[in-house]
Amino acid sequence: TQSTWGNFLLAMKVDLKQAMGLTQMSMLRNSAVDIVHTKTNEEEWQQLLHWDNIKKKYLNAVGFPQYKVMRFFTGTILPSVFGRGLFWIATAVYIATRIIKFEIKGELPQLSVVTWLSSFSTFFVVFYNSNCFTRFMRSYDTCCIIRGKIADICFQAKTYISDDVLVRAVWRYINTAHILAFIGLSGAYNENNMFHSFVDRYELLTAEEKEKVLQLNIDQGGRAHREMLLWVWTTLNEARLRGELTELQHFQLNADMIALRAQLANLFHYAFQPIPFPYIHLLYLVLTATTLINAYQVGAADIPSDTHLQIIAYSIGHYVSVLLVNILLIGLTCLAEDLQDPFGEDTSDLCAFHFMNDAANSTKQIISSPIRGFDNGSITTKERRPKPEDLRGIQSADITTPAALEDPSDVAQRKSKHGKDRKDKHRSVN
């Protein structure tokens, strides 16, 4: 029996050492994962910052002189044009037509349709570009309004609410909603390169809150940011129930929250409804026909010379005209396609990272700053603000009954009293 117990205790000791070893290994593994995860977040943050700086570089280049602007290639529409198959197909049609013209040494049939087809294609492309540019500028205006509304809400929360925990909760949740909206809106931003980077850097969510948010499939749609807006509303309502907000203050914050939600929804509305597909199909059909027929028409033009040098010179000059037409039509189309989806990695896209980072950073400064005022030349800090019960909100006596619902006798009595008060005031002045 004693030997049995001894073997049993020995086995327990071995199992305990193995368990402790596995636990230590697990702890080390988790630590390594955390280190890699943090490093990855920092790398992702630097990548986002790099994209944003490139976009700002070309924004600043808008004010450059013409000779400096003309030296740019990257950041322009030219890489997109040269990357289109239609551009090279049109070039091949021109070269093939010119070779056939040279070989047969005769006339090729001319296509008179190219004149009015060019007019139609120009109209379609310009209209498409104008519409996409309007959508782009509306998206920019919406982003500016969103950033302003976030700042307004944080200003009011800091001013009205004395509980720092509630103020910080409003700041955390509203900036998280801002980030989640762009993640759900654009395929360029996702959980890995945006969510963890921002949330960990600004400490916007606790571990439990982050886990709940990640269950909402944040990479698609607006469900996640609407959930965060609900958290903000719940926090503001909690502040009202605690007496931190008067009814009037709570009403104003609610109005700003509704306006913020509407502006965030507008971004999703723009993304959901692009230019109608039949128009895009007709545009590409006309554009393809115009570029190819124009390349053929120019290639089939007569050359008033038989010498090889003059033939080469005329061929190069004719190709320049084909090149300019292709760059114009295909370039405007590529530009419109970039403007239609303004949230991504293209140099012409909006600086979405700047909007989110600036909103989070500026509002963090707002909630971290002491509230200052003047009290006989001294600084009034947050602790010396009036208590919530001393702040007067909307009272029943402040609500004026509409005249249409008042009793006629009450109206006459009030007018008589008002006239008497005016007479007494006039006598006292005299």
Side-chain angles (χ1 to χ4, degrees), residues 97-203:
T97 306
R98 179 60 70 187
I99 293 174
I100 294 173
K101 175 77 173 178
F102 179 76
E103 290 293 334
I104 66 174
K105 296 181 180 181
E107 293 187 358
L108 292 176
Q110 298 293 315
L111 302 177
S112 59
V113 71
V114 69
T115 303
W116 61 266
L117 193 60
S118 299
S119 302
F120 271 106
S121 62
T122 303
F123 169 78
F124 276 109
V125 171
V126 171
F127 181 81
Y128 177 46
N129 201 280
S130 175
N131 192 289
C132 291
F133 183 78
T134 301
R135 291 166 59 91
F136 178 88
M137 294 309 300
R138 286 180 179 175
S139 298
Y140 171 76
D141 293 338
T142 302
C143 290
C144 293
I145 295 173
I146 290 171
R147 184 173 56 173
K149 285 298 178 182
I150 292 175
D152 292 343
I153 293 170
C154 290
F155 270 122
Q156 294 178 79
K158 177 65 175 179
T159 305
Y160 300 151
I161 303 175
S162 60
D163 190 344
D164 287 334
V165 175
L166 292 178
V167 174
R168 186 170 178 81
V170 171
W171 170 76
R172 293 192 298 113
Y173 296 154
I174 201 169
N175 278 283
T176 304
H178 192 200
I179 295 165
L180 290 174
F182 281 101
I183 293 176
L185 184 67
S186 173
Y189 306 120
N190 52 55
E191 174 187 341
N192 295 324
N193 69 356
M194 180 69 75
F195 179 75
H196 291 294
S197 301
F198 264 95
V199 170
D200 294 346
R201 193 175 191 86
Y202 286 101
E203 299 179 352

Side-chain angles (χ1 to χ4, degrees), residues 64-81:
F64 287 177
Q66 181 180 357
Y67 72 93
K68 287 188 176 181
V69 173
M70 295 300 293
R71 293 186 301 178
F72 280 85
F73 180 77
T74 58
T76 67
I77 206 62
L78 295 179
S80 298
V81 173

Side-chain angles (χ1 to χ4, degrees), residues 299-422:
D302 293 331
I303 298 178
S305 177
D306 292 334
T307 63
H308 289 286
L309 186 60
Q310 289 183 338
I311 291 175
I312 293 175
Y314 272 97
S315 298
I316 294 175
H318 288 168
Y319 179 69
V320 170
S321 65
V322 174
L323 182 67
L324 292 177
V325 170
N326 291 344
I327 291 177
L328 176 63
L329 295 179
I330 300 177
L332 285 174
T333 305
C334 293
L335 179 60
E337 292 171 354
D338 291 342
L339 296 178
Q340 186 173 359
D341 182 16
F343 303 106
E345 305 172 12
D346 296 333
T347 55
S348 59
D349 288 336
L350 294 175
C351 299
F353 174 84
H354 168 76
F355 288 116
M356 289 180 281
N357 189 34
D358 182 73
N361 192 37
S362 60
T363 52
K364 183 179 181 180
Q365 294 177 357
I366 292 171
I367 67 166
S368 301
S369 300
I371 296 181
R372 299 174 180 270
F374 293 98
D375 184 11
N376 296 325
S378 62
I379 296 177
T380 301
T381 57
K382 185 175 180 179
E383 288 73 21
R384 301 181 63 181
R385 285 189 296 164
K387 296 180 180 180
E389 55 267 21
D390 296 332
L391 300 176
R392 184 169 179 266
I394 298 178
Q395 307 296 329
S396 58
D398 297 330
I399 303 175
T400 302
T401 305
L405 301 179
E406 289 186 293
D407 187 75
S409 60
D410 294 338
V411 175
Q413 184 179 0
R414 188 176 70 253
K415 290 183 177 180
S416 175
K417 182 180 178 181
H418 180 64
K420 183 179 179 181
D421 292 341
R422 291 184 62 185

